[in-house]
C-alpha cells in the first residue's frame, strides 16, 4: 500500500488516529482526531501528546508508560486496549478507549493509536451508578436486601457497585470503602482455587472475561482469606450490560455462597472413602496411614496420627502432606519431641482428657514455648503453622491415640465445623483400630495356642530319623487354631509318637487338643501300650461335656518295628524304597464318641529301607482345582520320593500341597515321616541321655 | 441363609420313617443344616426310622463326620433306628475308619460292591510291565500274606494274582513298557487283589470262550473257577483312565491281624454279597459300564 493511500484511509476513518515518536511527539493526526480534540493536524504535529490531550494529573503516568514501552525488548510486541480520560482543547474531559501498538521498524520505536470517544457508554454507567446509589428507594435497596452478593464492574477494573452482602463478605463496611481498594488488591487478599484445586488469577473471573469480550461460564471458587484464614466456596455468575454501540460496558456478577453445601458434600465423600479404607484391612497402621493421606490437602495441609500402647509409649504411625518433600520437616521436628508426653500439653493433654482441641491460631510465642531449643524452634517456624486441630482416637472409653490436623501454607483456619468433622473421622478410625487390635490379639492368642499344640523341638530319637510338617489353617487373614497336633514321648520301652486331630477349631478345640497332647504325655509315664494310651484318652474325652472327637494314631517305635494303634485316623503308610506302599488299616474307632471300646494295636515291621508316614486328613482333604488331594495322589507322591530322607519327603509333600491347593488352606495339615537309621548311623549311648542333650539344641 | 452352593439336602417323608437325602460336600459349612434337619425329623411324633441317604455325597470332612456321630447318638437316645444308605466308596472307608459303620445299619447301593468292612492292610505296588512282572507280583503277594493265610489259600491267591498280572502284561498291547498297578488288600476274612493297567480292558460279556490247547485265554477261567468273586472296573477318567481286574478269595486271616480284624466284623456285613453267579451265566447279561462283578460266594 502506498503511503498516500494509507493517509487517505486514515482521513476517512471514523476513529481518531495518532502516531507518536519514541518521545511522545505527534507525527500523525487524522481528521477525526482534529474533530475530537479541537486541534488541527498542523497545530498538533510535533507537539508532546501529554501536553496536548492528557489531563495534567495523568501526564507523568502517561510518559512513564511510553518510556517503558519504548524500552521493552523488540520481541515484546506491545498492543494495549485501555480506557482513559482525555482533555479537549476547550478543557472538557472525556473518556476514550485507546488501542495502542508499538512499531519498531526504525531506529527508535513509534506508537500508533486508535482513539474512540466512549463518553456515551460511560454516561450510561454513570446513570446506572447514580440509579443504584440513589437516595430514593430503588434498585440499590432491593439489591442490598439480597442474600447473594452482587457486584457491577466496569471495564476500567473499577467496582461500580457492590451490594451490602458483597462488600460485607469481603470485609468492608461500605461500598465506598471497598471502592477505595483496587480490585486487584482485593483479589490478592485471597488464595483462590477452582474446584479442582488449581490456583486462579483475576483474569479467570467471569466478569473480567466478559469485559475482555470472552465467554464466561459460571465459576466455582474456593477462596481462603489470607487475613482471617476463612475458607469459602463461591459460585460466580456474570452477565454483561451493553452500551448503545453493542459493546459491553459493565458486568453484573451474582456471587452465591455455597460453602455449607460444598463442605457437607466434601465431608460426606471423605467419610465414605475413609470408612471404605478403614474396613479394607485389619492392618490398622496401614489403614490409618491411608486415611491420613486421604485428608491432605482437602481437609488439612498436614495430617498425623499418633498411637499410644498400654505402657504409654507413643508411636507415630502416619504423617501426610501432599508435598512429600515436606515430610522430612515433620520427621525432623519429631526427633525433638520427648517420648514422655506432657499430660498438660498437645497430644499428651488430649490423651489425658479425651477431648478434642481446636487452636485457630498458632502465634509465634506458642511455638517458642513448645520448642526445646533454637534448632527446634527454627524447624517449627519453617512448618508455618496456621491452625491446629487435635482429635482423640477413642473406643470403648479408652483414648489410645490422637489425630493431628494442621493447616500451614494453605492459610486456612479451622473452625468448629472442621472440629466436628475431624471428630467424626477420628471416631470411625478409632473403631476400626479397636476392631483390628481385637482381631490381632485374637490372632496372637491363636498363634500362641497353636504353638502350644506342637513340641518346641523334635527330639532326636535313637535309631530313627524323624521329620515333621505342619501347615496351619487360615481363615481370611487370620491363623485359625486348629486341632492337629503331634508329640513325642520317651518311655522305658521306646519312643511313643502321637499324631492326631481334634474335631473343631478355635480356642475350645485348642484346649481339648492340649488336654489330649499333655494327657498322653502323662499317660506315657505309666502306660507303654499305644492302644491303652488311646483308650485312656477316649475315656478322658468322653467325660468332657459336649461331643469332643479326636482321631489319633499312636505309635511306639521299637528297634525294627512299630506298634501301631489308631483311632478313627487315616491309616499310617509305610513306604519301601522301591515304591511299595503299605497302608495300615483302621483298627479302632474315633476317640470321644463311644465308651468301652476294645483297644487294639498291631506290631508292624519296618525295615531299614522303609519310611513310616503318619498324617492327618488335612493332607488328603486339601482342595485343588477339580478335586481333593486324596489318598491315591498322596501314595503316588510318597512312592515317587521313596528312599529319600524324611525331611526331603515332607518338603516335597509341602511343595506338592502348595502347588495343588486352590484358595486358602481350610484345614490344618500335620505329617510325620520316620525312618529307621542304619545301625552304623545309630546314635550310641544311653537313649535318654542323647534325647536330653538334643532338647537343648536349637530348632533346626 | 441358604445352604452352601456345593451342598444339597432334602427331607422325604415315607410311610414308616423319614429319609434325609444328602448331596455334595458335608463339611463345617453344611453340617449344621444336616443336624437341624435331623432334629426336625425326630421331633415328628411316631417316627421310629430314619434313613440318611449318602448316595450323592462327594466329600465328608471331620465336622461332617462329627455331625453324623452326633446324629447316631441322638438317634440312640430317642430310640430311632438310623440307617445310612448308598455311601460312595470313599465315604464308606471314612465311615469304617471312624467306627460309625459298626454302630448303624449301613446298606450299600445296589451297584456298589466296595466292601463294607475295614481292611487290615492295603499294599500298593507299581510293577514295570515286563516279562518278569508276574514273578515279582507273586513274590510281593507271598510277602504280603506270609503267616496270614493258610498254605492252600496262599497258593490259590498267588496263582490268581499271577494270572491277572500275566494278562495285564500280555493283553494291553504288543509292546512291553509302562506299568501295572498291583493292589493287595487284606481283610479279616478275605483277600482282594486288584490289577490295574492302562490298557483298553475287556468286557466280561464279550470274552471269547477258551479253547483247549491254546496258550492264552485260560487266565480268567482259572480266576473264575478258583476265586470267591471277581470283576472288572474302570478307575479315573480321561487320559488317566485305568482298567482294573480284581478277585477276592474268602480266607480267614491268621495271626495277630486276623484276631483283631475279627473283633470288628459284624454279621450284618455278610449280607452285602449277591447270590452266586458263574462266569458262564454272567456272560449272558450285559455288563454295566462302570464295571461288572462275578460272585462265586
Amino acid at each position: 500500500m502506498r503511503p498516500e493511500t494509507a493517509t487517505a484511509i486514515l482521513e476517512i476513518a471514523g476513529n481518531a488516529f495518532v502516531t507518536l515518536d519514541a518521545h511522545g511527539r505527534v507525527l500523525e493526526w487524522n481528521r477525526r482526531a482534529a474533530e475530537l480534540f479541537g486541534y488541527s493536524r498542523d497545530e498538533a504535529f510535533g507537539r508532546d501528546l501529554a501536553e496536548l490531550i492528557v489531563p495534567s494529573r495523568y501526564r507523568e503516568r502517561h510518559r512513564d508508560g511510553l518510556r517503558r514501552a519504548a524500552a521493552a525488548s523488540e520481541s515484546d510486541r506491545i498492543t494495549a486496549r485501555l480506557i482513559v480520560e482525555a482533555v479537549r482543547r476547550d478543557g472538557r474531559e472525556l473518556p476514550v478507549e485507546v488501542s495502542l501498538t508499538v512499531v519498531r521498524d526504525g531506529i527508535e520505536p513509534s506508537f500508533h493509536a486508535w482513539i474512540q470517544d466512549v463518553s456515551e457508554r460511560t454516561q450510561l454507567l454513570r446513570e446506572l451508578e447514580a440509579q443504584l446509589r440513589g437516595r430514593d428507594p430503588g434498585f440499590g435497596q432491593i439489591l442490598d436486601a439480597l442474600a447473594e452478593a452482587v457486584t457491577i464492574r466496569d471495564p476500567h477494573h473499577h467496582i461500580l457497585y457492590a451490594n451490602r452482602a458483597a462488600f460485607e463478605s469481603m470485609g468492608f463496611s461500605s461500598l465506598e470503602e471497598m471502592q477505595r481498594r483496587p480490585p486487584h488488591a482485593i483479589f490478592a487478599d485471597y488464595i483462590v482455587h477452582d474446584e479442582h484445586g488449581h490456583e486462579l488469577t483475576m483474569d479467570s473471573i467471569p466478569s473480567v472475561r466478559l469485559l475482555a469480550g470472552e465467554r464466561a461460564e459460571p465459576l466455582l471458587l474456593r477462596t481462603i482469606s489470607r487475613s482471617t484464614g476463612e475458607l469459602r466456596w463461591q459460585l460466580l455468575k456474570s452477565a454483561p450490560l451493553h452500551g448503545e454501540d453493542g459493546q459491553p460496558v459493565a458486568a453484573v456478577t451474582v456471587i452465591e455462597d455455597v460453602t455449607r453445601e460444598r463442605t457437607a458434600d466434601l465431608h460426606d465423600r471423605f467419610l465414605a472413602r475413609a470408612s471404605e479404607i478403614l474396613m479394607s484391612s485389619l492392618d490398622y497402621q496401614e489403614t490409618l496411614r491411608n486415611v491420613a493421606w486421604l485428608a491432605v490437602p482437602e481437609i488439612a495441609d498436614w495430617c498425623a496420627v499418633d498411637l499410644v500402647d498400654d505402657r504409654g509409649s507413643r508411636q507415630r504411625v502416619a504423617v501426610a502432606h501432599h508435598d512429600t518433600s515436606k515430610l522430612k520437616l515433620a520427621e525432623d521436628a519429631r526427633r525433638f519431641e520427648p517420648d514422655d508426653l506432657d499430660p498438660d500439653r498437645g497430644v499428651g493433654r488430649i490423651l489425658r482428657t479425651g477431648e478434642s482441641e481446636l487452636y485457630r491460631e498458632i502465634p509465634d510465642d506458642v511455638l517458642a514455648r513448645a520448642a526445646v531449643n533454637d534448632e527446634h524452634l527454627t524447624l517449627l517456624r519453617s512448618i508455618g503453622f496456621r491452625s491446629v486441630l487435635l482429635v482423640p482416637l477413642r473406643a470403648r472409653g479408652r483414648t489410645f491415640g490422637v489425630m493431628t490436623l494442621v493447616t500451614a501454607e494453605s492459610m486456612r483456619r479451622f473452625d468448629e465445623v472442621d472440629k466436628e468433622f475431624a471428630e467424626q473421622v477420628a471416631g470411625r478410625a478409632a473403631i476400626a483400630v479397636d476392631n483390628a487390635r481385637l482381631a490381632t490379639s485374637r490372632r496372637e492368642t491363636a498363634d500362641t495356642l497353636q504353638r502350644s499344640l506342637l513340641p518346641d523341638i523334635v527330639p532326636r530319637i535313637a535309631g530313627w530319623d524323624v521329620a515333621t510338617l505342619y501347615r496351619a489353617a487360615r481363615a481370611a487373614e487370620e491363623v485359625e487354631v486348629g486341632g492337629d497336633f503331634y508329640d513325642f514321648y520317651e518311655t522305658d520301652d521306646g519312643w511313643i509318637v502321637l499324631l492326631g486331630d481334634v474335631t473343631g477349631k478355635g480356642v475350645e478345640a485348642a484346649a481339648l487338643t492340649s488336654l489330649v497332647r499333655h494327657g498322653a504325655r502323662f499317660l506315657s509315664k505309666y502306660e507303654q501300650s499305644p492302644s491303652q494310651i488311646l483308650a485312656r484318652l477316649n475315656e478322658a474325652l468322653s467325660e468332657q461335656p459336649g461331643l469332643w472327637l479326636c482321631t489319633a494314631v499312636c505309635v511306639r517305635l521299637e528297634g525294627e518295628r512299630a506298634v501301631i494303634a489308631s483311632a478313627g485316623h487315616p491309616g499310617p503308610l509305610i513306604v519301601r524304597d522301591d515304591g511299595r506302599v503299605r497302608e495300615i488299616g483302621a483298627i479302632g474307632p474315633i476317640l470321644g464318641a463311644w465308651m468301652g471300646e476294645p483297644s487294639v494295636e498291631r506290631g508292624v515291621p519296618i525295615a531299614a529301607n522303609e519310611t513310616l508316614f503318619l498324617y492327618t486328613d488335612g493332607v488328603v482333604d486339601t482342595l485343588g482345582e477339580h478335586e481333593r488331594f486324596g489318598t491315591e495322589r498322596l501314595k503316588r507322591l510318597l512312592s515317587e520320593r521313596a528312599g529319600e530322607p524324611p525331611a526331603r519327603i515332607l518338603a516335597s509333600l509341602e511343595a506338592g500341597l502348595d502347588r495343588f491347593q486352590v484358595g486358602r488352606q481350610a484345614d490344618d495339615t500335620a505329617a510325620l515321616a520316620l525312618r529307621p537309621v542304619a545301625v552304623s548311623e545309630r546314635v550310641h549311648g544311653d537313649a535318654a541321655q542323647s534325647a536330653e542333650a538334643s532338647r537343648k539344641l536349637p530348632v533346626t | 441363609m441358604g445352604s452352601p452352593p456345593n451342598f444339597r439336602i432334602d427331607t422325604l417323608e415315607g410311610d414308616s420313617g423319614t429319609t434325609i437325602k444328602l448331596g455334595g460336600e458335608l463339611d463345617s459349612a453344611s453340617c449344621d443344616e444336616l443336624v437341624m434337619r435331623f432334629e426336625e425329623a425326630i421331633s415328628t411324633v411316631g417316627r421310629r426310622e430314619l434313613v440318611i441317604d449318602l448316595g450323592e455325597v462327594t466329600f465328608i470332612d471331620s465336622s461332617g463326620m462329627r455331625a453324623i456321630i452326633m446324629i447316631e447318638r441322638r438317634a440312640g437316645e430317642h430310640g430311632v433306628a438310623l440307617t445310612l444308605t448308598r455311601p460312595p466308596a470313599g465315604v464308606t472307608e471314612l465311615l469304617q475308619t471312624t467306627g460309625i459303620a459298626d454302630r448303624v445299619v449301613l446298606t450299600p447301593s445296589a451297584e456298589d460292591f466296595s466292601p463294607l468292612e475295614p481292611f487290615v492292610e492295603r499294599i500298593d505296588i507299581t510293577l514295570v510291565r515286563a516279562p518278569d512282572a508276574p514273578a515279582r507280583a507273586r513274590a510281593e503277594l507271598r510277602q504280603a500274606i506270609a503267616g496270614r493265610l493258610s498254605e492252600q489259600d496262599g497258593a490259590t491267591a498267588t496263582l490268581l494274582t499271577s494270572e491277572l498280572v500275566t494278562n495285564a502284561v500280555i493283553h494291553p498291547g504288543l509292546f512291553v513298557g509302562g506299568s501295572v498297578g498291583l493292589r493287595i488288600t487284606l481283610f479279616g476274612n478275605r483277600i482282594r487283589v486288584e490289577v490295574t493297567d492302562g490298557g483298553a480292558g475287556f468286557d466280561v460279556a464279550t470274552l471269547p470262550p477258551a479253547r483247549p490247547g491254546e496258550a492264552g485265554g485260560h487266565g480268567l477261567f482259572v480266576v473264575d473257577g478258583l476265586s470267591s468273586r471277581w470283576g472288572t472296573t474302570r478307575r479315573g477318567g480321561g487320559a488317566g483312565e485305568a482298567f482294573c481286574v480284581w478277585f477276592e478269595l474268602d480266607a480267614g486271616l491268621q495271626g495277630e491281624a486276623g484276631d483283631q480284624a475279627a473283633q470288628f466284623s459284624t454279621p450284618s456285613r455278610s449280607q452285602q454279597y449277591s447270590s452266586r453267579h458263574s462266569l458262564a451265566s454272567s456272560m449272558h447279561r450285559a455288563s454295566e459300564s462302570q464295571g461288572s462283578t462275578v460272585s462265586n460266594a
Side-chain angles (χ1 to χ4, degrees):
Chain A
M1 194 189 288
R2 285 175 297 144
E4 50 271 33
T5 313
T7 310
I9 292 170
L10 288 178
E11 282 308 300
I12 59 163
N15 285 344
F17 181 81
V18 175
T19 300
L20 307 178
D21 69 6
H23 309 286
R25 288 185 298 249
V26 176
L27 297 179
E28 191 65 67
W29 189 263
N30 73 353
R31 184 187 306 177
R32 179 71 188 124
E35 285 170 11
L36 188 58
F37 298 111
Y39 299 99
S40 71
R41 188 173 189 279
D42 291 343
E43 284 170 327
F45 191 83
R47 295 272 302 274
D48 181 357
L49 187 80
E51 304 285 340
L52 209 58
I53 62 165
V54 178
S56 54
R57 61 183 186 280
Y58 296 136
R59 277 180 196 152
E60 265 323 296
R61 213 163 80 181
H62 166 79
R63 290 188 175 119
D64 264 6
L66 287 186
R67 268 197 294 276
R68 272 205 304 278
S73 71
E74 271 188 46
S75 59
D76 295 337
R77 182 180 165 78
I78 294 167
T79 50
R81 186 162 166 267
L82 49 147
I83 293 178
V84 295
E85 304 275 308
V87 61
R88 291 155 57 115
R89 184 170 208 165
D90 59 11
R92 203 155 66 79
E93 291 193 3
L94 75 164
V96 290
E97 186 178 274
V98 181
S99 304
L100 180 75
T101 308
V102 186
V103 176
R104 299 171 203 276
D105 50 2
I107 298 161
E108 289 191 317
S110 56
F111 303 94
H112 304 272
W114 289 102
I115 300 169
Q116 189 188 358
D117 176 9
V118 291
S119 48
E120 262 183 35
R121 262 199 262 159
T122 313
Q123 185 55 38
L124 196 77
L125 282 179
R126 294 237 169 83
E127 282 166 19
L128 179 67
E129 194 173 348
Q131 199 179 339
L132 288 167
R133 300 166 75 175
R135 300 209 177 277
D136 299 328
F139 200 43
Q141 275 180 330
I142 295 170
L143 288 182
D144 271 350
L146 267 183
E148 284 89 2
V150 178
T151 63
I152 302 176
R153 174 195 287 264
D154 73 8
H156 315 265
H157 291 314
H158 175 69
I159 303 288
L160 208 58
Y161 173 78
N163 71 350
R164 181 168 296 278
F167 62 73
E168 282 185 352
S169 75
M170 286 180 234
F172 299 102
S173 57
S174 68
L175 173 60
E176 289 70 24
E177 190 188 340
M178 182 174 171
Q179 282 173 321
R180 277 199 291 277
R181 191 159 173 81
H184 277 107
I186 295 175
F187 191 85
D189 287 340
Y190 298 87
I191 299 170
V192 183
H193 289 94
D194 67 11
E195 61 183 318
H196 309 294
H198 301 127
E199 187 150 7
L200 297 178
T201 62
M202 201 163 107
D203 295 339
S204 337
I205 301 296
S207 59
V208 176
R209 291 174 63 104
L210 276 178
L211 294 170
E214 296 170 38
R215 283 171 54 81
E217 301 297 331
L219 180 66
L220 184 63
L221 297 182
R222 177 185 189 263
T223 64
I224 293 165
S225 161
R226 290 181 195 271
S227 56
T228 66
E230 190 185 6
L231 180 145
R232 228 183 254 165
W233 285 91
Q234 296 175 320
L235 183 63
L236 272 59
K237 291 181 210 156
S238 290
L241 293 176
H242 295 287
E244 280 175 6
D245 57 359
Q247 292 291 314
V249 295
V252 181
T253 305
V254 178
I255 304 165
E256 192 185 345
D257 190 310
V258 291
T259 310
R260 189 192 294 252
E261 294 83 348
R262 288 294 300 184
T263 306
D265 182 45
L266 175 74
H267 287 181
D268 284 351
R269 274 186 292 125
F270 184 88
L271 275 181
R273 183 80 192 93
S275 301
E276 205 175 287
I277 289 175
L278 288 167
M279 286 184 294
S280 65
S281 157
L282 282 179
D283 182 348
Y284 62 88
Q285 300 213 356
E286 191 196 317
T287 57
L288 284 176
R289 268 193 294 278
N290 290 341
V291 170
W293 279 98
L294 187 65
V296 296
E298 269 191 295
I299 308 297
D301 295 329
W302 292 89
C303 181
V305 180
D306 293 274
L307 294 181
V308 283
D309 61 20
D310 298 334
R311 293 178 296 279
S313 76
R314 168 193 190 186
Q315 190 195 4
R316 173 153 288 177
V317 294
V319 187
H321 188 286
H322 76 101
D323 177 1
T324 49
S325 67
K326 293 213 168 198
L327 292 177
K328 186 152 188 325
L329 282 176
E331 211 177 286
D332 291 344
R334 176 72 180 85
R335 253 180 257 135
F336 290 99
E337 290 163 27
D339 282 333
D340 295 333
L341 290 166
D342 183 344
D344 291 321
R345 229 164 50 182
V347 170
R349 183 180 157 95
I350 306 303
L351 287 171
R352 181 172 61 80
T353 65
E355 299 285 330
S356 50
E357 291 192 9
L358 164 63
Y359 302 91
R360 286 171 192 278
E361 189 89 29
I362 304 293
D364 194 59
D365 59 309
V366 170
L367 291 186
R369 275 202 304 277
V372 295
N373 58 27
D374 287 349
E375 198 187 337
H376 190 197
L377 181 60
T378 310
L379 256 175
L380 291 179
R381 280 179 177 151
S382 64
I383 290 172
F385 287 99
R386 174 78 169 190
S387 193
V388 174
L389 245 176
L390 297 166
V391 197
L393 295 177
R394 244 175 107 72
R396 291 184 294 144
R398 202 170 66 88
T399 304
F400 54 82
V402 174
M403 179 178 272
T404 305
L405 294 166
V406 174
T407 55
E409 62 279 350
S410 74
M411 304 295 286
R412 66 175 283 227
R413 221 174 258 168
F414 291 126
D415 57 20
E416 289 296 328
V417 175
D418 293 310
K419 182 173 144 189
E420 233 169 76
F421 173 62
E423 282 169 354
Q424 266 180 294
V425 174
R428 290 185 193 207
I431 289 166
V433 170
D434 193 52
N435 285 342
R437 280 190 167 176
L438 279 178
T440 306
S441 137
R442 273 198 298 273
R443 188 168 59 222
E444 281 166 2
T445 308
D447 283 344
T448 308
L449 273 173
Q450 191 73 69
R451 278 197 299 277
S452 79
L453 305 183
L454 306 172
D456 291 338
I457 61 158
V458 177
R460 207 149 89 199
I461 296 176
W464 293 84
D465 182 1
V466 181
T468 64
L469 170 66
Y470 192 91
R471 299 164 87 229
R474 284 178 185 283
E477 296 181 15
E478 302 186 39
V479 172
E480 215 174 351
V481 196
D484 283 14
F485 65 93
Y486 55 77
D487 208 350
F488 306 90
Y489 318 112
E490 195 176 14
T491 72
D492 297 339
D493 288 355
W495 282 82
I496 300 258
V497 180
L498 180 68
L499 173 120
D501 178 2
V502 170
T503 302
K505 287 193 175 63
V507 174
E508 245 182 323
L512 261 293
T513 307
S514 215
L515 170 84
V516 172
R517 183 188 160 209
H518 295 290
R521 176 171 288 279
F522 174 77
L523 286 170
S524 68
K525 304 264 182 237
Y526 308 96
E527 186 59 76
Q528 277 84 55
S529 150
S531 63
Q532 286 302 316
I533 289 174
L534 292 185
R536 300 290 90 75
L537 290 176
N538 182 43
E539 286 162 17
L541 278 174
S542 299
E543 283 163 10
Q544 294 293 321
L547 181 60
W548 287 100
L549 301 173
C550 173
T551 71
V553 57
C554 188
V555 178
R556 192 175 70 237
L557 298 174
E558 295 178 352
E560 273 135 13
R561 119 189 158 122
V563 178
I564 297 174
S566 169
H569 198 85
L573 302 175
I574 298 161
V575 186
R576 198 167 61 184
D577 290 359
D578 66 356
R580 183 189 76 171
V581 179
R582 271 195 292 160
E583 182 180 356
I584 306 302
I587 45 181
I590 193 166
L591 304 179
W594 303 288
M595 288 287 275
E597 286 304 313
S599 55
V600 284
E601 62 191 29
R602 213 156 84 215
V604 177
I606 300 193
N609 64 346
E610 289 184 316
T611 302
L612 172 63
F613 179 80
L614 310 177
Y615 67 101
T616 60
D617 60 5
V619 173
V620 287
D621 287 354
T622 296
L623 190 59
E625 199 171 341
H626 304 296
E627 55 185 342
R628 309 228 172 226
F629 197 72
T631 313
E632 297 306 314
R633 193 175 272 103
L634 172 65
K635 284 181 178 176
R636 204 154 59 231
L637 186 146
L638 293 175
S639 176
E640 281 162 10
R641 298 290 162 187
E644 292 185 10
R648 290 265 296 277
I649 293 175
L650 293 187
S652 297
L653 175 62
E654 183 168 26
L657 289 173
D658 285 343
R659 269 198 308 277
F660 183 81
Q661 179 175 304
V662 171
R664 69 180 181 87
Q665 192 182 331
D667 198 5
D668 314 336
T669 303
L672 302 176
L674 305 110
R675 184 179 173 86
V677 182
V679 178
S680 60
E681 292 173 45
R682 283 202 184 155
V683 181
H684 293 285
D686 188 284
Q689 261 180 19
S690 62
E692 193 57 43
S694 69
R695 281 203 189 95
K696 289 166 188 153
L697 289 173
V699 185
T700 51
Chain B
M1 290 284 288
S3 303
N6 47 4
F7 177 69
R8 297 177 303 282
I9 185 164
D10 280 308
T11 306
L12 310 170
E13 297 296 341
D15 293 336
S16 58
T18 305
T19 298
I20 298 176
K21 198 166 156 43
L22 300 181
E25 306 199 328
L26 182 61
D27 59 11
S28 56
S30 53
C31 63
D32 289 347
E33 172 93 30
L34 169 61
V35 173
M36 210 183 73
R37 292 288 184 104
F38 167 78
E39 293 292 343
E40 279 171 16
I42 59 167
S43 67
T44 312
V45 182
R47 294 295 176 201
R48 285 291 168 264
E49 279 176 42
L50 182 77
V51 174
I52 298 180
D53 183 346
L54 301 169
E56 307 294 318
V57 170
T58 55
F59 175 73
I60 300 183
D61 78 347
S62 54
S63 308
M65 194 47 68
R66 180 176 181 277
I68 292 176
I69 290 172
M70 187 182 261
I71 285 169
E72 184 267 329
R73 265 197 180 187
R74 299 272 297 140
E77 287 165 14
H78 286 73
V80 172
L82 179 65
T83 305
L84 304 182
T85 59
R86 305 199 304 137
V91 171
T92 304
E93 281 200 10
L94 193 62
L95 296 172
Q96 289 164 352
T97 303
T98 50
I100 186 87
D102 296 323
R103 284 158 186 84
V104 296
V105 179
L106 195 60
T107 59
S109 55
E111 67 271 24
D112 183 7
F113 279 80
S114 66
L116 295 186
E117 179 189 11
F119 63 80
V120 173
E121 192 166 320
R122 171 177 288 163
I123 297 162
D124 282 285
I125 306 136
T126 305
L127 302 169
V128 176
R129 203 154 73 82
D132 69 344
R136 283 204 55 207
R138 288 193 296 273
E140 289 292 352
L141 188 90
R142 282 193 198 103
Q143 200 178 344
I145 62 174
R148 288 168 165 174
L149 292 189
S150 69
E151 200 174 322
Q152 195 195 329
D153 286 342
T156 305
T158 308
L159 171 63
L160 298 183
T161 303
S162 185
E163 289 300 328
L164 290 189
V165 173
T166 303
N167 278 350
V169 172
I170 292 169
H171 287 299
L174 293 174
F175 60 91
V176 170
S179 60
V180 174
L182 174 63
R183 168 172 284 185
I184 304 163
T185 310
L186 302 171
F187 295 89
N189 49 14
R190 67 204 152 94
I191 174 173
R192 179 183 171 99
V193 174
E194 292 155 84
V195 175
T196 309
D197 66 60
F202 58 87
D203 198 320
V204 174
T206 62
L207 277 181
R211 292 187 185 145
E214 285 185 23
H218 293 286
L220 280 177
F221 286 87
V222 173
V223 172
D224 187 47
L226 296 181
S227 71
S228 303
R229 65 203 69 81
W230 69 280
T232 62
T233 179
R234 283 186 190 280
R235 283 198 199 147
E241 188 173 284
F243 182 71
C244 171
V245 189
W246 59 267
F247 75 82
E248 288 185 359
L249 191 64
D250 293 339
L253 275 200
Q254 299 173 342
E256 188 186 28
D259 297 342
Q260 286 161 5
Q263 295 184 45
F264 295 103
S265 311
T266 55
S268 67
R269 287 203 182 99
S270 58
Q271 296 162 4
Q272 64 184 290
Y273 300 110
S274 54
S275 58
R276 180 189 177 94
H277 288 285
S278 68
L279 175 62
S281 66
S282 69
M283 279 170 67
H284 294 294
R285 54 178 186 138
S287 63
E288 292 152 54
S289 60
Q290 286 298 307
S292 57
T293 299
V294 180
S295 179
N296 295 335

